[in-house]
């Protein structure tokens, strides 16, 4: 080699929160492990490699949860690692709490994985993580800003799996975020070596290295337990290690050390990387990825995160308004549990075995869904306990809105049983009411009310001799059609499609609830085949199409399920698999399209049930007639226009054509395909792939109109908000108001003695002098980064009851405010 200095990163990827659950038990060095065998083993073997090969420095890219768990079961392992860190023989890079595919998950969890992760490494190992690194892709254009505000100084985009982000053969760049933030980063260059390259040297890299100035040669390692993949020590890489350190005089470094040695002396190119250039793939191994098991995991994750955010919000307001104790420790532990479920292995490796805390063997996917539901239920139980004391007795129901956007919402309301008609009012305004049921001394129905941001809506009720008068919305229904004065929905006979028309503009979206093939497990070998049995009366090989005989394609019927002053619903239904011996279907499909008359929201729902294992490759389609439409898809804290076909929106797709458009909010089915046509187009969401069994519901929300980015973000927040109702008159007013709709609230919680509020300017333009008013007399405020470090003061004015501050935002800037009581 020439005199060009070569640096060498030897980095091990493992995770206790994911694949580590598959190997809890084992023995090493005479010690028996019950929970963390694979994690302790991988740490010890990396440290052994540092001893065995003089000059080698080993780096760990483990989930921070791993260090916490190993500390409980093998504190000697952690003490050994700390000693190697202090001696400069090892390093920790990455440091995320749960190693998520961050682009798939929520705004706040993107921040908590980084802040909790770095803090955990500091607490357990007394080590400061400076460089961001993940083995499975975590990328989106807001990440540079989030990393810097979470305490990171450098980043690497060298993901071994799940897609190479904009490959470019540069040793180092300035990675620029959508807000203008930038940090030194190593792009996905061709000097990354995968862990499967073993028992050989780096001869094929020799000429390549000469084309770089002082490059970093990066070797990914995965040390699995004995008998599994990739060897069980550093031994498979011996030839390569000795060549680079002994023959080429390379210098072993951690990722952070490479940046500290080389970043200052370079003229780095500014590079912005769009979502279209991510090449992200989440569908490639171990029974997981987009569409697998109907995307139960992501759907459950979205619900659980909203409940957890609501939990934090109401706990913070109760502590301010009622001096209630804020459950800091319980909330932190819940966040940590939640983040372990976002580990990438739960997403792409749902078929991996896993063990419950009780030692019951299951698979990662089933364990994750069960744990998400446990978090959801625990949060709802806590919220009920917190909110009920905030209500005074009386003939009222109070709805608590934890979202930072005011919105009109259709809700289900439960009331004491009443004779005759029921009259509902909000602030003197009569609300529409649609009866659903009368049973067990309770009346259930639908109404539509106005919810303030971070506040309450009080609905009073009384008996009435006749139905109270409400606004005439020209609601009408036929045999297979529903409409009001704004929207018309009609079935396309013989199909799973419903035409949804905006009557004011003539624009139309056709919702096809199911499309694609169906297969059944062969009874003999467990493989999927489109095979019939004589016992089947009906077996459908497809939801639609002309590939199969007409009697092997689902037969669809339609009827109006409900029509009333609040909501009207058209239902499509058909059997997929039936038997001669019983009228009860083995598998069936249903689709509903509902109009919420007061809000304009159109709910499009696909529902599938099967009592046997079936295989689907099923899409829900939304075809439209907007000419030359542009499409925007979101990611955590932002959105971008997309020019490609196969995408993965975090929560929505915004479609725009001249002065018309619509926003489509999905439930967590993130694989989407855009089919462009001159006079329209189609958005296809993959809702189920491969094996399915049980009950599945996928709910989309369609909003007509030309929305801006912040409008779509507000629609998502209102859709996902975990609204809770309690009996009585609520005593909490709207907690915070602000003057510009481009500013979207992300979270509100307590930390030590401060109240933390976080916003994002969800727009490509700067926003100045936003007036923010709180229903609480805060004594002061400071703008901080995500770790609590103060970046600048923020003057607060108070009158003893309320407080006011003014903030300015860069485009797409995330601002955190720490408010003092």
């Amino acid at each position: 080699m020439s005199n060009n200095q070569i640096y060498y990163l030897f980095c091990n990827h493992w995770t206790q929160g994911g694949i580590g659950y598959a190997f809890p038990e084992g023995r090493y060095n005479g010690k028996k492990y019950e929970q963390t065998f694979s994690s302790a083993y991988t740490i010890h073997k990396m440290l052994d490699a540092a001893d065995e090969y003089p000059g080698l420095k080993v780096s760990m890219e483990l989930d921070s949860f791993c260090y916490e768990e190993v500390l409980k079961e093998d504190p000697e392992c952690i003490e050994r690692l700390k000693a190697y860190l202090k001696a400069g023989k090892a390093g920790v890079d990455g440091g995320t709490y749960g190693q998520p595919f961050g682009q798939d998950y929520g705004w706040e969890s993107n921040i908590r994985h980084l802040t909790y992760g770095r803090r955990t490494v500091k607490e357990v190992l007394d080590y400061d993580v400076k460089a961001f690194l993940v083995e499975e892709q975590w990328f989106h254009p807001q990440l540079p800003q989030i990393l810097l505000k979470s305490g990171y100084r450098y980043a690497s985009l060298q993901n071994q799996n799940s897609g190479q982000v904009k490959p470019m053969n540069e040793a180092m760049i300035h990675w620029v975020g959508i807000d203008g933030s930038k940090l030194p980063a190593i792009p996905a260059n061709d000097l990354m070596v995968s862990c499967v390259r073993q028992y050989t040297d780096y001869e094929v890299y020799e000429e390549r290295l000469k084309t770089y100035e002082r490059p970093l040669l990066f070797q990914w390692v995965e040390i699995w337990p004995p008998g599994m993949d990739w060897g069980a020590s550093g031994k498979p890489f011996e030839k390569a290690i000795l060549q680079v350190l002994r023959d080429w005089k390379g210098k072993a470094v951690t990722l952070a050390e490479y940046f500290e040695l080389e970043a200052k002396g370079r003229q780095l190119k500014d590079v912005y990387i769009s979502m279209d250039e991510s090449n992200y793939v989440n569908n490639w191994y171990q029974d997981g990825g987009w569409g697998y098991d109907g995307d139960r995991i992501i759907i459950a994750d979205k619900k659980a995160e909203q409940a957890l955010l609501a939990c934090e919000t109401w706990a913070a307001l109760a502590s301010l308004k009622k001096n209630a104790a804020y459950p800091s420790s319980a909330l932190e532990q819940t966040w940590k549990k939640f983040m372990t479920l976002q580990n990438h292995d739960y997403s792409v490796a749902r078929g991996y075995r896993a063990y419950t805390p009780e030692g019951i063997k299951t698979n990662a996917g089933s364990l994750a869904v069960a744990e998400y539901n446990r978090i959801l239920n625990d949060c709802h139980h806590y919220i009920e306990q917190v909110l009920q004391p905030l209500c005074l007795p009386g003939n009222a129901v109070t709805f608590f809105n934890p979202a930072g956007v005011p919105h009109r919402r259709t809700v289900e309301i439960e009331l004491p049983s009443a004779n005759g008609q029921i009259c509902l009012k909000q602030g003197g305004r009569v609300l529409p009411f649609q009866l659903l049921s009368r049973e067990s001394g309770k009346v259930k129905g639908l109404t539509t009310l106005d919810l303030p941001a971070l506040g309450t809506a009080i609905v009073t009720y009384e008996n009435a001799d006749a139905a109270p008068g409400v606004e005439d919305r020209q609601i009408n229904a036929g045999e297979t059609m529903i409409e009001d004065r704004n929207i018309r929905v009609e079935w396309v006979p013989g199909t799973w499609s419903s035409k949804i028309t905006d009557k004011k503009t003539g624009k139309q979206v056709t919702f096809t609830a199911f499309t694609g093939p169906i297969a059944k497990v062969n009874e003999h070998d467990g493989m999927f085949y489109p095979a019939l049995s004589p016992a089947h009366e009906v077996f459908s090989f497809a939801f639609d199409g002309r590939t199969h005989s007409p009697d092997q394609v689902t037969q669809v019927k339609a009827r109006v399920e409900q029509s009333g002053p609040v909501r009207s619903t058209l239902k499509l239904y058909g059997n997929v698999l039936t038997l001669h011996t019983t009228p009860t279907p083995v598998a069936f499909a249903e689709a509903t399209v509902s109009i919420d008359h007061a809000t304009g929201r159109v709910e499009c729902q696909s529902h599938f049930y099967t009592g046997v294992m079936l295989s689907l490759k099923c899409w829900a389609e939304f075809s439209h007639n907007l000419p030359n439409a542009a499409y925007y898809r979101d990611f955590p804290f932002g959105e971008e226009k997309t020019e490609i076909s196969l995408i993965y929106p975090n929560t929505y797709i915004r479609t725009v054509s001249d002065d018309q458009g619509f926003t489509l909010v999905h439930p967590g089915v993130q694989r989407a395909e855009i089919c462009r046509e001159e006079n329209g187009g189609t958005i296809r969401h993959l809702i189920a792939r491969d094996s399915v069994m049980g009950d599945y519901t996928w709910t989309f929300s369609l909003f007509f109109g030309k929305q801006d980015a912040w409008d779509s973000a507000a629609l998502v927040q209102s859709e996902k908000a975990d609204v809770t109702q309690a009996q009585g008159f609520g005593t909490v007013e709207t907690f915070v108001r602000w003057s510009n709709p481009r500013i979207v609230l992300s979270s509100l919680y307590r930390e030590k003695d401060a109240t933390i509020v976080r916003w994002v300017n969800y727009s490509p333009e700067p926003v100045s002098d936003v007036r923010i008013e709180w229903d609480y007399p805060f004594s002061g405020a400071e703008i901080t980064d995500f770790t609590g470090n103060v970046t600048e003061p923020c003057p607060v004015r108070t009158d003893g009851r309320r407080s006011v501050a003014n903030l300015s935002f860069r485009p797409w800037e995330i601002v955190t405010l720490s408010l003092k009581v």
Side-chain angles (χ1 to χ4, degrees):
M1 297 290 288
S2 67
N3 292 327
N4 190 26
Q5 175 67 64
I6 296 173
Y7 295 92
Y8 186 55
L9 178 61
F10 189 76
C11 184
N12 181 42
H13 165 74
W14 193 252
T15 169
Q16 173 66 19
I19 189 61
Y21 280 136
F23 307 100
E25 297 179 323
R27 292 178 182 270
Y28 177 71
N29 277 353
K31 180 177 178 61
K32 182 180 179 181
Y33 294 85
E34 301 289 347
Q35 299 292 334
T36 62
F37 167 61
S38 64
S39 295
Y41 181 86
T42 201
I43 293 172
H44 277 302
K45 283 300 179 181
M46 281 295 283
L47 299 181
D48 288 348
D51 290 337
E52 189 170 351
Y53 304 107
L56 180 65
K57 180 174 292 189
V58 297
S59 184
M60 310 286 180
E61 193 273 303
L62 313 180
D63 51 337
S64 296
F65 171 69
C66 174
Y67 303 121
E68 288 182 318
E69 293 301 292
V70 173
L71 178 63
K72 296 174 185 176
E73 193 165 37
D74 189 357
E76 293 82 6
C77 176
I78 293 299
E79 286 304 314
R80 185 185 180 202
L81 175 55
K82 289 172 68 174
Y84 279 58
L85 292 171
K86 290 179 180 179
K89 298 176 66 175
V92 173
D93 290 312
T96 65
Y97 191 79
Q99 293 179 337
F101 291 131
Q103 60 274 8
D104 293 353
Y105 296 113
W107 292 8
E108 198 61 25
S109 59
N110 263 252
I111 293 173
R112 305 292 177 101
H113 274 286
L114 301 173
T115 56
Y116 279 43
R118 289 187 69 249
R119 187 173 71 202
T120 298
V121 173
K122 186 67 175 176
E123 290 172 352
V124 177
L125 300 176
D126 192 26
Y127 189 87
D128 186 18
V129 180
K130 300 176 183 177
F132 171 77
L133 174 69
V134 285
E135 189 255 359
E136 304 269 358
Q137 190 184 123
W138 176 356
F139 165 82
H140 54 79
Q142 275 285 28
L143 201 48
Q145 177 182 191
I146 294 173
L147 289 172
L148 288 168
K149 291 185 176 181
S150 298
Y152 288 85
R153 296 170 56 189
Y154 316 108
S156 172
L157 294 172
Q158 293 177 296
N159 315 119
Q160 181 176 217
N161 294 322
S162 310
Q164 300 301 297
V165 178
K166 193 176 183 177
M168 65 182 79
N169 291 335
E170 298 278 350
M172 195 182 297
I173 61 172
H174 261 145
W175 179 18
V176 181
I178 195 171
D179 72 313
S181 297
K182 59 185 178 182
L183 76 167
I186 300 174
N189 62 33
D190 59 0
L191 298 181
M192 179 181 67
V193 187
S194 74
C195 66
V196 300
R197 186 176 181 81
Q198 299 181 1
Y199 303 102
T200 187
D201 59 21
Y202 293 126
E203 182 179 355
V204 297
Y205 289 87
E206 186 167 1
E207 291 302 315
R208 194 180 302 174
L209 284 161
K210 293 177 182 178
T211 66
Y212 289 84
E213 180 182 2
R214 302 188 304 280
L216 178 71
L217 182 62
F218 182 3
Q219 175 69 67
W220 275 112
V221 182
E222 287 192 23
I223 296 181
W224 286 56
M228 301 304 293
D229 298 355
W230 325 137
S233 69
K235 194 71 174 178
F237 305 96
E238 182 174 280
K239 287 184 180 180
I241 292 169
L242 294 177
Q243 182 183 46
V244 73
L245 295 182
R246 184 184 61 194
D247 301 342
W248 293 351
K249 309 302 181 187
K251 180 178 178 62
V253 292
T254 66
L255 182 60
E257 284 175 337
Y258 177 65
F259 284 109
E260 289 172 345
L261 290 167
E262 288 292 332
K264 290 184 179 179
R266 296 173 183 256
Q267 295 296 316
L268 300 181
K269 181 191 302 184
D270 288 354
V271 179
Y272 176 81
I273 306 175
S274 70
M275 289 293 281
D276 281 1
E277 298 170 298
S278 72
N279 301 307
Y280 176 48
V281 176
N282 186 4
N283 63 350
W284 64 285
Y285 71 91
Q286 294 293 337
D287 297 335
W290 290 311
Y292 188 81
D293 194 29
D295 272 327
R296 285 189 202 268
I297 286 180
I298 298 293
I299 293 171
D301 175 272
K302 298 293 184 184
K303 294 177 180 178
E305 180 159 357
Q306 291 305 313
L308 183 49
L309 290 169
C311 214
E312 280 192 325
T313 297
W314 297 126
L317 293 186
S319 71
L320 291 171
K321 296 287 189 176
K322 300 294 182 180
N323 293 318
Y326 186 77
S328 300
S329 178
L331 284 169
E332 179 174 301
Q333 291 307 310
T334 304
W335 268 109
K336 286 184 173 182
K337 179 60 181 178
F338 176 75
M339 289 188 288
T340 63
L341 299 176
Q342 292 182 332
N343 183 279
H344 61 274
D345 281 337
Y346 282 115
S347 185
V348 296
R350 300 176 198 185
Y352 277 164
R353 69 177 181 270
Y355 294 86
T356 68
E358 296 77 22
I360 300 171
K361 182 180 177 181
T362 180
N363 61 69
S366 298
L367 179 63
V369 172
E371 291 297 324
Y372 275 129
N373 288 335
R374 185 177 301 177
I375 290 172
L376 184 69
N377 293 333
D378 288 348
C379 286
H380 284 166
H381 178 68
Y382 175 80
I383 289 170
E384 290 173 3
Q385 290 181 314
V386 169
L387 295 186
Q388 193 59 60
L390 300 179
C391 294
L392 300 175
N395 289 345
V397 176
T398 297
F399 290 83
F400 292 81
N401 175 29
V405 283
H407 61 281
R408 180 165 288 184
R409 186 184 185 99
T410 296
V411 298
E412 185 173 304
I413 188 170
E414 184 176 285
L415 304 167
S417 184
N419 297 320
Q421 301 292 329
I422 293 175
C423 179
L424 302 181
K425 293 183 180 180
Q426 181 184 10
R429 179 173 65 89
V430 176
L431 302 179
F433 179 74
Q434 184 171 329
L435 180 66
L436 294 178
S437 67
R438 292 179 185 268
E439 56 186 30
S440 303
K442 298 287 184 180
V443 173
K444 290 184 179 180
L446 298 173
T447 190
T448 303
L449 48 85
D450 293 318
L451 288 165
L454 277 182
T456 59
I458 299 174
V459 177
T460 59
Y461 55 88
E462 58 188 27
N463 293 335
D465 295 330
V470 293
E471 181 182 355
D472 180 13
R473 300 188 182 278
Q474 300 173 24
I475 298 165
N476 184 32
E479 288 188 4
T480 59
M481 178 275 297
I482 54 175
E483 67 178 341
D484 59 22
R485 67 181 175 212
N486 296 319
I487 295 171
R488 177 184 175 92
V489 178
E490 53 190 322
W491 179 44
V492 180
T495 73
W496 286 105
S497 299
S498 302
K499 291 182 180 178
I500 307 165
T501 304
D502 183 342
K503 295 166 68 172
K504 293 181 292 185
T505 65
K507 299 306 177 184
Q508 189 175 88
V509 173
T510 298
F511 167 52
T512 303
F514 302 98
T515 180
I518 305 167
K520 184 177 182 293
V521 173
N522 184 284
E523 289 86 352
H524 303 292
D525 59 13
M527 298 298 291
F528 284 116
Y529 294 102
L532 284 172
S533 163
H536 297 152
E537 181 179 30
V538 173
F539 186 83
S540 303
F541 291 140
F543 288 106
D544 51 12
R546 296 291 181 265
T547 301
H548 300 284
S549 173
D551 65 341
Q552 295 172 353
V553 177
T554 52
Q555 304 299 302
V556 189
K557 299 178 182 180
R559 62 181 173 84
V560 174
E561 186 174 61
Q562 63 177 336
S563 179
V566 178
R567 175 180 289 171
S568 296
T569 301
L570 175 67
K571 181 175 183 177
L572 283 57
Y573 55 98
N575 289 331
V576 173
L577 177 61
T578 66
L579 304 178
H580 289 283
T581 53
T582 176
T584 302
V586 180
F588 63 87
E590 297 174 342
T592 57
V593 183
S594 301
I595 307 170
D596 286 349
H597 299 300
T599 67
R601 171 183 178 263
V602 181
E603 180 184 280
C604 302
Q605 191 172 90
S606 302
H607 175 218
F608 187 82
Y609 169 80
T610 175
V612 297
M613 191 75 76
L614 294 179
S615 177
L616 306 181
K617 189 170 184 181
C618 183
W619 300 74
E621 295 185 345
F622 298 82
S623 301
H624 64 84
N625 64 351
L626 277 68
N628 303 310
Y631 301 89
Y632 298 80
R633 46 88 169 261
D634 74 318
F635 47 84
F637 293 104
E639 69 154 42
E640 264 185 345
K641 184 178 180 181
T642 181
E643 304 288 355
I644 61 176
S645 296
L646 290 170
I647 61 173
Y648 50 97
N650 186 277
T651 58
Y652 72 81
I653 295 175
R654 182 167 65 94
T655 305
V656 178
S657 175
D658 297 327
D659 61 345
Q660 304 298 327
F662 63 87
T663 294
L664 180 66
V665 181
H666 68 76
V669 287
Q670 295 177 327
R671 188 47 155 179
E673 181 180 17
I674 296 175
C675 304
R676 294 172 172 82
E677 301 173 11
E678 184 177 349
N679 295 314
T682 301
I683 297 170
R684 308 176 73 225
H685 274 278
L686 179 64
I687 60 174
R689 174 176 64 85
D690 297 342
S691 59
V692 294
M693 185 173 178
D695 197 87
Y696 300 83
T697 300
W698 303 275
T699 304
F700 299 84
S701 297
L702 174 68
F703 300 89
F704 282 108
K706 183 182 180 182
Q707 288 100 13
D708 288 305
W710 54 93
D711 297 319
S712 294
L715 287 173
V716 170
Q717 284 217 338
S718 63
E719 275 293 289
K720 306 298 184 183
D722 200 294
V723 174
T724 303
Q725 61 176 291
Q727 290 293 321
F729 289 85
T731 58
V732 176
E733 300 178 14
T734 299
F735 178 67
V736 60
R737 302 174 178 85
W738 56 97
S739 61
N740 195 309
R742 296 179 183 227
I743 306 306
V744 179
L745 189 142
S746 169
S747 61
L748 185 151
Y749 57 97
R750 295 296 304 273
E751 196 164 84
K752 298 179 181 178
D753 295 328
T755 299
I756 309 299
V757 189
R758 190 151 29 243
W759 288 274
V760 60
N761 173 17
Y762 205 87
S763 80
E765 304 295 332
V767 175
S768 300
D769 203 29
V770 178
R771 176 185 168 88
I772 302 171
E773 181 179 339
W774 291 273
D775 182 33
Y776 192 85
F778 291 108
S779 61
E782 297 167 327
I783 297 174
T784 72
D785 65 12
F786 301 155
T787 69
N789 293 322
V790 177
T791 57
E792 60 182 283
C794 178
V796 172
R797 307 178 297 281
T798 182
D799 62 4
R801 181 171 175 267
R802 299 180 184 273
S803 47
V804 176
N806 291 75
L807 289 176
S808 295
F809 296 76
R810 299 192 314 273
W812 303 109
E813 184 180 11
I814 307 165
V815 173
T816 302
L817 207 58
S818 177
L819 297 158
K820 309 300 180 184
V821 177

